């Protein structure tokens, strides 16, 4: 990869700040779901880093599944049309489902997924998102657990990408606006 470091603007959340928050979330979820054998559903691809760190902070019996959606299709603006491109492996009927997301922005992806999964009759359903960009919300979604409220900037790192790059940064930063403006 070329040196694209100068596309990255200011760091919004350091690895250390994220780790502290992930620990708190893991503790809260463990206490709320103890004895319920929840299934944590990671939404590909953005949530993978968060999910894998969060799981190691959860000390109760649980299982994990994945679902993949597509709405941004590599663009910086949502297409508004959300599709399931890979479905869950297991049934969630009568299971306690906790959806794990990296960021809720307009809320369109999450609202679609919530409505889709609720038709499958889970015992309960909640959402845990590391980041929430409330100012950008177009539809309401109820977040039971939120790590950080973030401003309306294009963010990368810790799972979040710009054209599939930067998911591997161990911190969260803003992409410089000149990189994507005019797209
Ligand atoms: C990102 C992110 C959320 C969604 C949030 O996914 O991971 O799933 O956008 O945006 P919204 O609230 O405006 O719907 P993206 O479609 O970029 O795919 P990715 O997870 O593979 O990066």
């Amino acid at each position: 990869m070329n040196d694209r470091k100068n596309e990255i603007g200011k760091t919004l959340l350091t690895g250390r700040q994220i780790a502290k928050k992930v620990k708190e979330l893991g503790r809260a979820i463990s206490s709320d779901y103890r004895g319920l054998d929840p299934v944590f559903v990671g939404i590909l691809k953005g949530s993978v880093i968060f999910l894998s760190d969060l799981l190691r902070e959860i000390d109760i019996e649980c299982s994990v599944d994945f679902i993949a959606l597509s709405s941004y299709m590599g663009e910086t603006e949502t297409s508004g049309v959300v599709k399931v491109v890979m479905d869950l492996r297991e049934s969630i009927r009568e299971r306690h489902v906790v959806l794990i997301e990296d960021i809720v922005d307009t809320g369109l992806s999450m609202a679609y997924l919530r409505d889709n999964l609720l038709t499958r009759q889970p015992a309960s359903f909640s959402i845990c998102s590391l980041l929430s960009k409330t100012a950008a919300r177009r539809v309401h979604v109820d977040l039971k657990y939120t790590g950080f409220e973030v401003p309306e900037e294009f963010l990368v790192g810790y799972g979040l990408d710009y054209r599939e790059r930067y998911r591997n940064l161990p911190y969260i930063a803003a992409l410089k606006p000149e990189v994507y403006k005019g797209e």
Side-chain angles (χ1 to χ4, degrees), residues 48-107:
V48 286
I49 312 278
F50 174 45
L51 176 66
S52 62
D53 283 347
L54 181 65
L55 278 178
R56 283 173 285 186
E57 301 295 343
I58 289 176
D59 65 352
I60 57 171
E61 192 176 337
C62 62
S63 57
V64 181
D65 207 341
F66 292 95
I67 195 163
L69 296 183
S70 136
S71 63
Y72 282 76
M73 320 271 240
E75 302 300 324
T76 51
E77 291 260 336
T78 179
S79 64
V81 180
V82 187
K83 275 197 320 207
V84 171
V85 294
M86 189 197 88
D87 209 345
L88 300 173
R89 200 63 92 71
E90 312 292 335
S91 166
I92 54 167
R93 194 182 164 89
E94 301 302 321
R95 297 294 306 275
H96 293 275
V97 173
V98 184
L99 268 183
I100 308 294
E101 184 57 297
D102 54 336
I103 184 166
V104 178
D105 192 314
T106 62

Side-chain angles (χ1 to χ4, degrees), residues 43-48 68-75 77-80 82 100-111 113 129 133 136-139 141 154 159-162 164 167:
I43 306 173
L44 299 173
K45 306 175 192 169
S47 73
V48 286
L69 296 183
S70 136
S71 63
Y72 282 76
M73 320 271 240
E75 302 300 324
E77 291 260 336
T78 179
S79 64
V82 187
I100 308 294
E101 184 57 297
D102 54 336
I103 184 166
V104 178
D105 192 314
T106 62
L108 292 171
S109 307
M110 195 47 97
L113 193 53
S129 184
K133 207 184 268 184
R137 209 71 97 240
R138 290 205 231 155
V139 287
V141 279
F154 195 99
L160 289 93
D161 73 306
Y162 169 63
E164 295 302 326
R167 292 193 198 271

